Amino acid sequence: MKRLPVTKLGLLALFSASVVFAQTDGGPDGATMKETEAGIPVTDPLVTEKCSACHTADAKGNLSRISWVRTTPEGWAQAIKRMVRLNGLAITPEESRAIVKSLSASHGLAPEEARPVMYLPEKRMLDETIIPNETMRGACASCHSYAQPLSWRRSKLEWKTLQDLHVALYSQADAQYRRPAEDSEQPTGRDPKDKLTRGDYALTYMPKVAPLHTPEWAAWSARQRNPRLAGEWLVVASVPGKGRYVGELSIAAGRQADEFTTRATLRSLTDGDTVNRTGTGIVYAGYSWRGSSTGAGAAKPDDLTSAAREALWFAPDQQSAQGRWFWGDYQEFGYDVKLVRATAAPAILAVTPGPVKAGTKGVQLRILGHNLPASLSAADVDLGAGVSVTKIVSASPKEMVVTADVAPGASSGQRHVAIAGAVLEQAFPVFHKIDYIKATPETALSRLGGIKFPKGYQQFEAIGYENGLDGKPNTPDDIAVGPVAADWAMQEFLSVFYDDDTKYVGALSPSAFFTPAEEGPNPARRFGRNNYGEVWVVATAKTEKDKFGKPLSARSYMVVTVPAYQKWDQPEVSR
């Protein structure tokens, strides 16, 4: 066992003691820092038994700290692990799971509160768009995603206590909080000499946007019910670089009312390949599905039968869901998934091949669905304005094939498809021309590995767009046409001279799948550096051209960096 210096032991003891102290009476200013908001009582005997040693109870059934916060299942799991690590909480995995279930139900988030931050449990890598300004970016999103604090609801005092805890544990947090608020007005009545800091602003902003008590939570607390998800579901999924899938998902009841087993069959709309998966899941707070599933066995990193984690948001009426099934050491692979409960009514799942060009005659479209009528006339199939069905080629409950004409003057945009009362919104786009393409993701991250640490891969796609009514590219009215065939290459990103990043960072396949190089110093490289670097990933369209007759092209900025030697987001808490 490694011995720690006395000074380090002292610091650990100080932090642990300070955390316990804060839990019991509100921190060092306990005499003045008292809760003024009504707490949410804790009624679960197991939570009281395991938590009341540090979190004191009051006459109303509140436990200090706990009764003044709400969060996601991942948030409660992280809190339990922190209590084990810092305060010596003794708890079994079974007890921990039961407490996460209980607190997610009594001190969780409403579905409407959780949905905007679902990308956090779904492990999506993206540029956050919910950060309100640079002040909050600096205060809360310099070290972790902004979705992390927005996954919690706290009393005003709890937001202050959280900030104090950050200062105690992380020196860089104190530095971030003390910086001036960049784009925030000075509050009325504040001394102009007393400049508003990021920390000050955050303590006024977060209690407004993420308070403990909200109308959404009050409504959900009243109507929360056990999930009744057993039955047949229809699945629509897409995987970057592999295309779209449709299929069925059978959900069966598990050992408890909130536990389930699953069996899924997905069919590729590109090549007809079938993927079979089985799994299990738990539903927290009546709507938050967290599960796992696997297929026959993965033969390569991006294999669609790989063992995956599942994070789904079920609608309050328990008739639909959406989320992500993901895998990879950095959760870089995954299905984007939508579920709809299968009923006796007809349903439309997808239309393939997808985009159709205005003026096209006799285009053949496959309409995939459920319980589609077998006997229909061309007039019974509505493909949207400017698209007319000329013939029903074949019809079955799961698939209908039609031929259609697209008027030369048909307006560009997504079309809804309607058959026998069933409607699929934004089923396919009509377009006149592809004006530009994007290489997605537009900013990408890959990690070196393969010796002692796992690799972090990246899949790219080229997506075609038509300018909208304003005639300008990259504006909100542009129309996403869909994936286009492209040739791929890497180019040097000129941030450092003579580093030859394209030679060392890794390899890009013809299908735009990037495999990073190995980690560690490379003797063949100048100065013996690691294989890290920055590159442009360039897509050149094979058939689409600009007004000068040159192929359309686009590029994505990719950073290839070192492995994540330590993962701070505790990925094990969702298992």
Side-chain angles (χ1 to χ4, degrees):
M1 179 177 177
K2 183 178 179 181
R3 291 183 178 273
L4 290 174
V6 174
T7 54
K8 290 188 177 180
L9 286 172
L11 286 173
L12 287 174
L14 172 63
F15 288 153
S16 297
S18 68
V19 175
V20 174
F21 186 71
Q23 290 166 356
T24 56
D25 70 356
D29 300 320
T32 56
M33 295 176 64
K34 295 295 184 181
E35 281 289 359
T36 58
E37 302 178 39
I40 302 172
V42 174
T43 59
D44 188 330
L46 180 61
V47 177
T48 302
E49 175 192 346
K50 289 296 177 180
C51 302
S52 60
C54 296
H55 299 269
T56 56
D58 65 15
K60 298 180 180 179
N62 297 314
L63 290 182
S64 62
R65 302 296 304 277
I66 294 174
S67 288
W68 283 272
V69 296
R70 298 188 286 113
T71 187
T72 61
E74 288 77 16
W76 284 120
Q78 288 174 343
I80 291 172
K81 281 194 167 289
R82 188 167 63 250
M83 296 302 100
V84 171
R85 187 172 62 251
L86 291 181
N87 293 339
L89 171 64
I91 191 170
T92 67
E94 292 75 18
E95 291 170 336
S96 176
R97 176 169 291 185
I99 288 176
V100 170
K101 284 185 178 183
S102 175
L103 290 176
S104 296
S106 64
H107 294 67
L109 298 186
E112 299 85 352
E113 295 171 324
R115 191 167 185 176
V117 291
M118 272 299 295
Y119 62 86
L120 186 63
E122 291 171 356
K123 305 296 183 183
R124 295 184 186 274
M125 186 183 298
L126 46 73
D127 294 327
E128 290 188 292
T129 59
I130 63 172
I131 303 176
N133 51 46
E134 287 304 310
T135 297
M136 290 306 297
R137 182 186 300 277
C140 296
S142 293
C143 301
H144 51 62
S145 70
Y146 187 66
Q148 179 72 19
L150 212 59
S151 295
W152 290 75
R153 297 296 183 271
R154 301 174 182 271
S155 67
K156 188 174 182 180
L157 176 58
E158 275 301 318
W159 282 115
K160 175 65 169 66
T161 305
L162 176 70
Q163 190 175 101
D164 291 344
L165 181 63
H166 276 62
V167 170
L169 293 180
Y170 312 112
S171 59
Q172 69 270 29
D174 187 36
Q176 291 290 346
Y177 294 149
R178 290 178 184 272
R179 292 184 178 180
E182 291 94 334
D183 46 12
S184 306
E185 295 182 3
Q186 193 84 348
T188 303
R190 188 182 181 96
D191 187 346
K193 296 180 180 178
D194 185 13
K195 296 295 184 182
L196 186 71
T197 66
R198 288 174 174 176
D200 294 334
Y201 180 84
L203 290 181
T204 62
Y205 183 81
M206 292 306 294
K208 294 178 182 178
V209 300
L212 176 65
H213 298 288
T214 64
E216 294 82 6
W217 178 247
W220 184 245
S221 297
R223 63 191 176 112
Q224 186 178 153
R225 58 193 174 99
N226 284 334
R228 300 184 181 278
L229 305 181
E232 300 301 314
W233 294 76
L234 308 174
V235 185
V236 179
S238 63
V239 182
K242 296 184 181 294
R244 295 183 295 164
Y245 293 76
V246 298
E248 300 82 32
L249 174 72
S250 296
I251 300 181
R255 295 173 298 177
Q256 299 185 33
D258 54 5
E259 297 182 0
F260 301 91
T261 62
T262 62
R263 185 176 298 276
T265 300
L266 304 177
R267 294 176 296 280
S268 169
L269 299 185
T270 303
D271 55 22
D273 283 353
T274 299
V275 179
N276 295 303
R277 303 183 64 86
T278 58
T280 60
I282 297 175
V283 177
Y284 297 92
Y287 71 91
S288 287
W289 175 284
R290 303 293 186 268
S292 61
S293 62
T294 188
K300 52 185 179 178
D302 61 340
D303 198 315
L304 296 182
T305 62
S306 299
R309 306 297 304 166
E310 299 178 351
L312 297 171
W313 182 93
F314 273 85
D317 62 4
Q318 299 182 9
Q319 298 300 304
S320 63
Q322 63 183 55
R324 186 170 183 248
W325 301 345
F326 54 88
W327 69 94
D329 288 285
Y330 299 98
Q331 297 89 42
E332 66 266 45
F333 304 112
Y335 298 83
D336 290 318
V337 176
K338 291 184 179 181
L339 305 180
V340 177
R341 192 185 288 273
T343 66
I348 305 170
L349 302 180
V351 176
T352 184
V356 292
K357 194 169 186 178
T360 304
K361 298 288 186 179
V363 62
Q364 192 169 92
L365 298 174
R366 293 172 59 214
I367 303 173
L368 290 304
H370 169 76
N371 283 346
L372 297 175
S375 178
L376 284 176
S377 67
D380 296 324
V381 182
D382 187 349
L383 299 182
V387 186
S388 56
V389 177
T390 58
K391 181 181 179 182
I392 304 292
V393 178
S394 64
S396 70
K398 290 189 175 183
E399 180 178 318
M400 179 178 294
V401 179
V402 303
T403 57
D405 292 340
V406 186
S411 59
S412 298
Q414 295 287 339
R415 295 300 192 270
H416 297 350
V417 173
I419 301 174
V423 178
L424 177 62
E425 296 183 351
Q426 300 187 25
F428 68 96
V430 171
F431 72 102
H432 285 76
K433 66 186 295 287
I434 294 178
D435 292 303
Y436 68 96
I437 65 173
K438 286 184 179 181
T440 61
E442 293 185 84
T443 56
L445 179 70
S446 178
R447 292 187 182 271
L448 304 170
I451 300 177
K452 291 187 176 181
F453 293 90
K455 292 177 181 284
Y457 302 88
Q458 185 62 260
Q459 175 70 60
F460 294 90
E461 281 188 311
I463 308 297
Y465 289 83
E466 180 178 351
N467 295 336
L469 291 175
D470 62 5
K472 299 177 182 179
N474 299 299
T475 55
D477 68 346
D478 293 353
I479 299 160
V481 177
V484 299
D487 294 316
W488 294 86
M490 289 192 298
Q491 294 179 358
E492 195 75 19
F493 183 88
L494 298 177
S495 59
V496 178
F497 290 111
Y498 310 117
D499 59 350
D500 298 323
D501 286 340
T502 56
K503 182 178 178 181
Y504 295 106
V505 295
L508 186 67
S509 76
S511 60
F513 183 73
F514 178 76
T515 302
E518 294 180 341
E519 80 275 29
N522 185 349
R525 195 171 191 187
R526 193 181 186 201
F527 305 128
R529 289 179 295 179
N530 266 257
N531 291 315
Y532 54 73
E534 301 164 278
V535 295
W536 291 114
V537 175
V538 181
T540 304
K542 292 185 177 181
T543 58
E544 308 301 332
K545 294 179 171 57
D546 62 16
K547 61 182 179 180
F548 302 108
K550 295 183 178 180
L552 296 175
S553 65
R555 60 185 184 179
S556 167
Y557 170 67
M558 179 170 64
V559 175
V560 183
T561 187
V562 297
Y565 297 114
Q566 186 168 0
K567 295 185 179 181
W568 295 97
D569 63 344
Q570 300 172 312
E572 73 277 6
V573 300
S574 62
R575 293 178 181 169

